[in-house]
């Protein structure tokens, strides 16, 4: 996020670089993160998440699921259960987390495997981080009862649990205490209490990318508390727009909501996570997230163009994990089930840990500024307009993949299908595959391609070969892609770029690698806010992740003993024809919306006039003060990020009109919203599509960050990108991997990103930036689809 005044962009990079240094462990200070270099890499196997089975004996079938969020521990760092598998003696403690599992499942117990009571992964319980995968079918509705069991004794209670992480009560947040800065007594408002909120914890589950009715969307103001016995008097037990498919009345405090999912969308990779207002960053960082995969339907088929007289006979890598495959069958390297798996969902996240194994998340704004808390000497809320705990973005020092740090996977010399998810809080990923070692020395240092077949909402029109500096739609003529035919990406450093919450359905070809070859997934996305690649033709000019830590993701080792007969029948990427959906029709409405950042209206500090760096210690000064020579007094920033409308749209010099979530400036119109329980509420919105309309949204980015923008409800097409004056975007208009339907799009600074969507279910939804630190502080707005 940008800094104030005339030194905007420089200040940010200086602060972030300093922040990385400050985040290193300080001797004798247990509150700082564990040194990531002390964590051994590639010693634990990649965990393959099993399929979620509802083991509740009260349910004879899996409809509805009864899924709870509970607190337990997991061996994320090396040690415990992993020592039993790899023969090592690592002693890192287990990490306390939250995640989902069937309500009937017991506390995880991995004692027999070298873990312990209450520690996952465990064979007796499906509670796990990431959560087990929902395997669903297109056009077959799914019902889930989501239960907030963040109570003592693994959900048995009676009392609620405190939050694991610092929660800022001065943001516009769920606010169960109903202590509003405005003086009103209500939930879902900005507070004034600078102390961290401890509990009870609100949750609401959102299936990201689902085509769903508003009562089951998991909107941020639809949260609820656990049904605990010690909820303080006067606390709201659900959000303002709490609703569910059963029309549950407000105030019952049942601790759950029943959501129904239509599933009327093509086969694709979705994911589910918490979405509570102003708390998504802390709730999701604590663990609750998992994959939701839709299979079947008209579009879930491919064609092998080499078999001219057969149609839709393409064979993608498989099998995937099946219902009934146990966590041991999928994750003990000697198990036959694991050895035959060829399709794996892979969630990539960054985390930091303390020496006791607990999660580290910053408790002071000083973390973002890159200074010790004692060197940030400014007023915070309630004495100013700067939140004391919220950090505008947060980057962590350890890569966690499917719930383990820097894991490894033995692979057959075969094609694999990986469903990749960027599940980080703020970090953009730029992924590539590099041969680290091989019996064939000529391969060392070579790059393997990703063959992307799908994005967030189904298949692409064509397979896209992606490698550093290139993104090439394949003609699908059965011929191996030759280097001379590759199409350059907009920047030579661009590889498989993934914004927050984006998914990439990719094939990786290990077929021609000798046994013993080691391939590493590398990340060259930066350890700082991402504003897009420079566009320079000179490679290597971009800031990149620390190559010793966050620049590494996971590792693959080729093992010929894993080869199976089925592997010989999988269709090569260059012979695949994909069955993508056709395009939307013409748009009936065009809207202009904006991405903005706010600076403080009351707090100023001195900055270096040449570099823009805040002078350390960062001291609050009068905004009209005369600073020492070489310095300039600037507003402290960022204060918040906001969505809004556009002034002067279509002119060379447009400006943003930032709007708060609960905008009362007059720019928004009050629109009635009818809940499933019959209550009629009002939402102040600037976006009010008519039911059934197809619209184009021009997203103007007035910040220096790239923002991954997500619209609930809809699947959209990326129409194009231009500069504000209409000139072509140097980032490229529509990238080849954006040619299919998406639900999240990267909007670059100084550009207009245009998307097209059909709004076909009436009700209240939201759109927001998926940098969760941004969405938690105003970079989210409601919109309402109104019926005739």
């Amino acid at each position: 996020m940008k800094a104030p005044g005339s030194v905007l962009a420089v200040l940010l990079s200086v602060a972030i670089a300093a922040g990385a240094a400050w985040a290193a462990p300080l001797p004798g200070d247990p509150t700082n993160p564990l040194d990531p270099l002390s964590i051994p890499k590639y010693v634990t196997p990649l965990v393959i998440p099993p399929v979620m089975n509802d083991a509740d004996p009260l349910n004879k079938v899996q409809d509805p699921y009864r899924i709870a969020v509970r607190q337990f521990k997991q061996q994320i760092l090396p040690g415990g259960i992993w020592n039993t598998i790899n023969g090592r003696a690592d002693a890192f403690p287990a990490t306390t987390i939250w995640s989902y599992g069937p309500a009937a499942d017991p506390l995880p117990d991995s004692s027999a495997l070298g873990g312990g009571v209450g520690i996952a992964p465990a064979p007796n319980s499906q509670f796990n981080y990431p959560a087990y995968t929902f395997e669903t079918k297109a056009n077959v509705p799914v019902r889930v009862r989501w239960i907030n069991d963040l109570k003592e004794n693994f959900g048995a209670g009676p009392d609620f649990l405190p939050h694991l992480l610092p929660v800022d009560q001065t943001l516009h947040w769920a606010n169960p205490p109903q202590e509003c800065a405005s003086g009103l007594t209500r939930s879902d408002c900005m507070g004034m209490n600078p102390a961290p909120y401890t509990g009870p914890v609100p949750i609401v589950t959102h299936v990201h990318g689902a085509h769903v009715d508003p009562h089951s969307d998991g909107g941020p103001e639809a949260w609820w508390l656990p049904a605990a016995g010690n909820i303080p008097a006067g606390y709201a037990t659900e959000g303002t727009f709490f609703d569910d498919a059963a029309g549950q009345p407000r105030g019952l405090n049942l601790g759950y909501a029943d959501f129904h999912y239509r599933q009327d969308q093509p086969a694709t990779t979705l994911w589910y996570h918490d979405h509570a207002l102003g708390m998504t960053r802390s709730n999701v960082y604590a663990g609750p997230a998992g994959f939701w995969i839709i299979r079947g339907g008209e579009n879930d088929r491919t064609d092998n163009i080499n078999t001219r007289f057969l149609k839709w006979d393409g064979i993608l890598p498989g099998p995937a994990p099946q219902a009934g495959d146990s966590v041991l069958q999928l994750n003990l390297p000697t198990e036959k089930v694991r050895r035959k798996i060829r399709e794996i969902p892979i969630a990539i996240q960054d985390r930091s840990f303390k020496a006791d194994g607990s999660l580290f998340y910053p408790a002071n704004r000083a973390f973002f500024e890159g200074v010790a808390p004692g060197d940030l000497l400014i007023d915070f809320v309630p004495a100013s307009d700067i939140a004391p705990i919220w950090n505008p973005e947060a980057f962590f020092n350890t890569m966690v993949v499917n719930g383990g740090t820097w894991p490894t996977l033995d692979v057959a010399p075969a094609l694999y299908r990986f469903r990749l998810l960027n599940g980080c809080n703020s970090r953009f990923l730029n992924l590539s595959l590099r041969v680290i070692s091989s019996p064939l020395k000529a391969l060392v240092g070579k790059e393997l391609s990703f063959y992307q077949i799908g994005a967030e909402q189904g298949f692409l029109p064509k397979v896209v070969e992606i490698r550093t500096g290139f993104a090439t739609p394949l003609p699908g003529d059965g011929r191996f892609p030759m280097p001379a035919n590759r199409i350059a990406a907009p920047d030579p450093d661009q590889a498989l770029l993934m914004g927050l919450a984006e998914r990439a359905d990719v094939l990786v070809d290990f077929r021609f690698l000798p046994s013993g070859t080691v391939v590493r997934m590398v990340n060259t996305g930066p350890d700082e806010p991402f504003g897009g690649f420079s566009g320079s033709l000179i490679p290597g000019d971009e800031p990149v992740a620390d190559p010793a830590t966050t620049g590494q993701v996971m590792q693959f080792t080729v093992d010929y003993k894993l080869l199976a007969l089925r592997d010989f029948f999988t269709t090569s990427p260059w012979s695949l024809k994909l069955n993508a959906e056709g395009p939307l029709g013409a748009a009936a409405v065009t809207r202009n919306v904006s991405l903005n950042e706010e600076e403080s209206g009351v707090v100023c500090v001195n900055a270096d006039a040449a570099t823009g760096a805040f002078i350390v210690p960062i001291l609050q000064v009068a905004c009209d003060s005369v600073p020492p020579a070489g310095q300039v007094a600037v507003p402290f920033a960022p204060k918040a990020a906001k969505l809004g409308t556009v002034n002067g749209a279509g002119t060379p010099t447009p400006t943003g009109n930032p709007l708060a979530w609960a905008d009362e400036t007059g720019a928004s119109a009050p629109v009635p919203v009818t809940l499933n329980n019959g209550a009629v509420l009002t939402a102040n919105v600037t976006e009010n599509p008519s039911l059934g309309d197809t619209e184009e949204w021009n997203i103007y980015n007035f910040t220096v960050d790239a923002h991954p923008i997500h619209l609930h409800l809809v699947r959209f097409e990326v129409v194009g990108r231009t500069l504000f004056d209409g000139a072509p975007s140097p980032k490229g208009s529509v990238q080849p991997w954006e040619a299919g339907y998406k639900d999240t799009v990267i909007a670059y600074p100084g550009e207009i990103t245009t998307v097209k969507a059909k709004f076909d279910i009436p009700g209240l939804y939201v759109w927001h930036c998926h940098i969760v630190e941004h969405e938690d502080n105003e970079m989210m707005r409601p919109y309402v689809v109104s019926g005739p």
Side-chain angles (χ1 to χ4, degrees):
M1 300 180 74
K2 77 178 183 182
S6 61
V7 288
L8 305 179
V10 179
L11 177 58
L12 177 65
S13 61
V14 172
I16 291 296
W22 179 78
L26 301 178
D29 185 353
T31 65
N32 275 276
L34 186 69
D35 182 357
L37 294 177
S38 70
I39 304 171
K41 298 180 181 67
Y42 314 122
V43 299
T44 59
L46 175 74
V47 173
I48 300 175
V51 173
M52 184 77 79
N53 295 291
D54 192 338
D56 191 335
L58 298 177
N59 291 334
K60 303 303 181 185
V61 294
Q62 289 186 335
D63 186 12
Y65 292 89
R66 299 177 69 251
I67 304 299
V69 177
R70 291 178 182 159
Q71 180 171 299
F72 54 98
K73 290 188 175 184
Q74 182 153 323
Q75 193 66 50
I76 299 173
L77 297 162
I81 182 177
W82 307 125
N83 288 343
T84 303
I85 292 173
N86 59 28
R88 294 172 56 87
D90 295 306
F92 292 95
T95 301
T96 300
I97 56 164
W98 302 338
S99 197
Y100 300 99
D105 274 24
L107 182 71
D109 185 354
S110 56
S111 300
L113 299 169
V117 175
I119 300 177
N124 72 313
S125 178
Q126 296 178 68
F127 281 88
N128 193 76
Y129 157 70
Y132 283 18
T133 301
F134 277 84
E135 278 279 353
T136 69
K137 295 180 180 180
N139 302 311
V140 178
V142 174
R143 297 184 293 160
V144 183
R145 172 167 290 180
W146 299 106
I147 303 167
N148 185 344
D149 257 354
L150 291 176
K151 298 181 291 185
E152 297 176 320
N153 303 311
F154 196 58
D159 293 342
F160 67 80
L161 290 168
H163 209 292
L164 296 176
L165 305 167
V167 175
D168 198 322
Q169 298 189 78
T170 70
L171 303 182
H172 175 212
W173 72 297
N175 205 338
Q178 303 192 93
E179 298 172 351
C180 301
S182 65
L184 296 175
T185 301
R186 54 159 294 176
S187 63
D188 304 299
C189 62
M190 184 173 290
M192 293 291 282
N193 185 348
Y197 177 71
T198 54
V201 178
I203 68 162
V204 56
T205 302
H206 170 59
V207 178
H208 181 119
H211 184 246
V212 66
D213 293 283
H215 57 64
S216 298
D217 179 51
E221 290 185 318
W223 54 267
W224 61 93
L225 297 183
N230 62 333
I231 304 293
Y235 271 44
T237 57
E238 66 276 301
T240 305
F241 284 88
F242 173 78
D243 201 8
D244 76 350
Q248 184 184 142
R250 290 172 53 84
L252 297 182
N253 192 24
L254 299 179
Y256 65 79
D258 292 322
F259 286 2
H260 293 185
Y261 300 95
R262 295 182 175 210
Q263 299 286 107
D264 55 348
Q265 59 194 102
T268 194
T269 306
L270 309 181
W271 66 301
Y272 61 105
H273 61 81
D274 186 76
H275 210 310
L277 182 67
M279 300 176 64
T280 300
R281 70 197 184 287
S282 46
N283 284 8
V284 174
Y285 192 85
F291 284 93
W292 182 292
I293 294 175
I294 301 177
R295 299 186 191 272
E298 180 181 347
N299 297 93
D300 194 13
R301 56 185 181 176
T302 62
D303 190 30
N304 182 349
I305 62 95
N306 292 321
T307 53
R308 304 294 181 183
F309 301 105
L310 299 175
K311 294 294 292 182
W312 306 118
D313 62 329
I315 299 175
L316 293 174
Q322 306 294 307
D325 291 345
S326 72
V327 68
L328 294 184
Q329 289 175 315
L330 287 169
N331 291 293
L332 290 180
T334 56
E335 284 286 339
K336 291 181 180 179
V337 172
R338 179 181 177 90
R339 295 163 70 89
K340 71 179 182 181
I341 294 295
R342 299 291 183 267
E343 180 193 317
I344 305 173
I346 295 179
I348 303 170
Q349 300 174 303
D350 59 340
R351 295 288 186 267
S352 292
F353 301 88
K354 300 177 186 177
D356 64 359
S358 63
L359 290 166
F360 167 86
Y361 190 92
N364 190 287
R365 172 63 182 262
F367 181 83
F368 179 78
E369 305 306 332
V371 299
D375 285 332
L376 181 59
L377 303 174
I378 65 171
D379 290 337
F380 294 104
V381 176
S384 82
D385 56 0
I386 298 298
I389 296 173
W390 176 73
N391 279 258
E393 293 182 30
F395 298 85
F396 303 101
N397 60 22
T398 303
M399 299 306 284
V400 176
V401 184
N402 284 5
T405 54
W406 291 296
T408 184
L409 176 69
D410 290 342
V411 295
L415 279 163
Y416 278 71
R417 182 182 186 181
F418 299 131
R419 298 175 183 258
L420 303 177
L421 162 69
N422 181 349
C424 300
N425 277 35
S426 299
R427 179 186 299 276
F428 282 71
L429 300 172
N430 193 46
L431 304 176
S432 58
L433 298 167
R434 300 283 178 175
V435 176
I436 301 302
S437 64
S438 176
L440 185 58
K441 300 305 180 186
L443 289 175
V444 176
K446 299 296 184 181
E447 182 174 358
L448 272 65
S449 297
F450 290 106
Y451 294 96
Q452 187 166 350
I453 61 173
E456 292 96 293
Q457 289 291 329
F459 283 142
L460 301 176
K462 293 183 177 181
V463 178
V464 180
E465 183 195 28
I466 298 176
R467 53 194 298 126
T468 304
F470 298 93
T472 308
L474 300 185
D477 57 7
R479 290 183 292 178
F480 184 84
M482 301 303 292
N485 296 327
R486 288 182 178 133
I487 298 174
D491 188 281
D493 294 313
Q494 182 170 308
L496 179 59
L497 176 64
M498 297 186 68
L500 291 303
E502 286 192 306
R503 284 89 70 204
D505 192 348
V506 300
L507 308 182
V508 176
D509 192 354
F510 298 104
R511 288 179 296 181
F512 307 112
L513 301 179
S515 194
T517 298
V518 176
V519 178
R520 182 173 296 164
M521 187 183 292
V522 174
N523 169 45
T524 52
D527 289 331
E528 60 184 55
F530 178 70
F533 295 103
S534 69
S536 167
L537 297 179
I538 302 173
D541 67 327
E542 311 287 347
V544 298
D546 181 353
T549 56
T550 52
Q552 301 181 45
V553 179
M554 64 173 296
Q555 204 155 269
F556 307 90
T557 301
V558 178
D559 184 351
Y560 266 59
K561 296 190 297 295
L562 301 181
L563 195 63
L565 180 62
R566 177 189 169 96
D567 295 326
F568 294 97
F569 297 96
T570 306
T571 307
S572 295
W574 44 89
S575 298
L576 275 176
K577 178 182 177 182
L578 304 173
N579 190 25
E581 269 194 295
L584 291 169
V589 175
T590 297
R591 297 185 187 274
N592 299 302
V593 298
S594 63
L595 316 180
N596 312 273
E597 290 170 0
E598 274 195 321
E599 59 190 22
S600 174
V602 295
V603 176
C604 288
V605 298
N606 286 338
D608 186 286
T611 66
F614 289 155
I615 303 302
V616 179
I618 301 173
L619 302 173
Q620 184 169 335
V621 300
C623 293
D624 59 356
S625 64
V626 178
Q631 298 180 20
V632 59
V634 296
F636 188 80
K639 168 191 170 184
K642 285 185 174 179
L643 306 178
T645 55
V646 180
N647 304 313
T651 71
T653 56
T655 58
N657 180 31
L659 300 173
W661 167 278
D663 171 54
E664 295 181 347
T665 66
S668 300
V671 177
V673 175
T674 302
L675 303 185
N676 211 37
N677 63 15
V680 179
L681 304 177
T682 298
N684 286 354
V685 300
T686 47
E687 290 72 52
N688 183 204
S690 295
L691 181 64
D693 272 1
T694 297
E695 297 194 352
E696 284 191 358
W697 288 24
N698 295 322
I699 305 168
Y700 286 68
N701 186 349
F702 294 105
T703 79
V704 297
D705 275 0
H707 297 271
I709 299 300
H710 171 49
L711 279 68
H712 286 214
L713 168 65
V714 297
R715 312 161 58 250
F716 55 70
E717 299 173 19
V718 181
V719 176
R721 294 183 177 89
T722 67
L723 301 181
F724 290 161
D725 62 5
S729 164
K731 308 296 191 297
S733 180
V734 180
Q735 297 292 325
W737 62 86
E738 296 176 320
Y741 282 87
K742 292 174 61 63
D743 56 46
T744 307
V745 66
I746 300 174
Y748 291 103
E751 294 191 1
I752 306 168
T753 303
T754 302
V755 299
K756 183 196 293 187
K758 183 175 182 179
F759 297 85
D760 58 354
I761 301 178
L764 175 68
Y765 298 93
V766 298
W767 69 287
H768 60 86
C769 175
H770 221 288
I771 296 173
V772 288
E773 280 75 17
H774 291 189
E775 73 172 86
D776 274 351
N777 192 6
E778 293 299 296
M779 206 167 199
M780 178 161 55
R781 288 273 291 154
Y783 76 89
V784 177
V785 181
S786 293

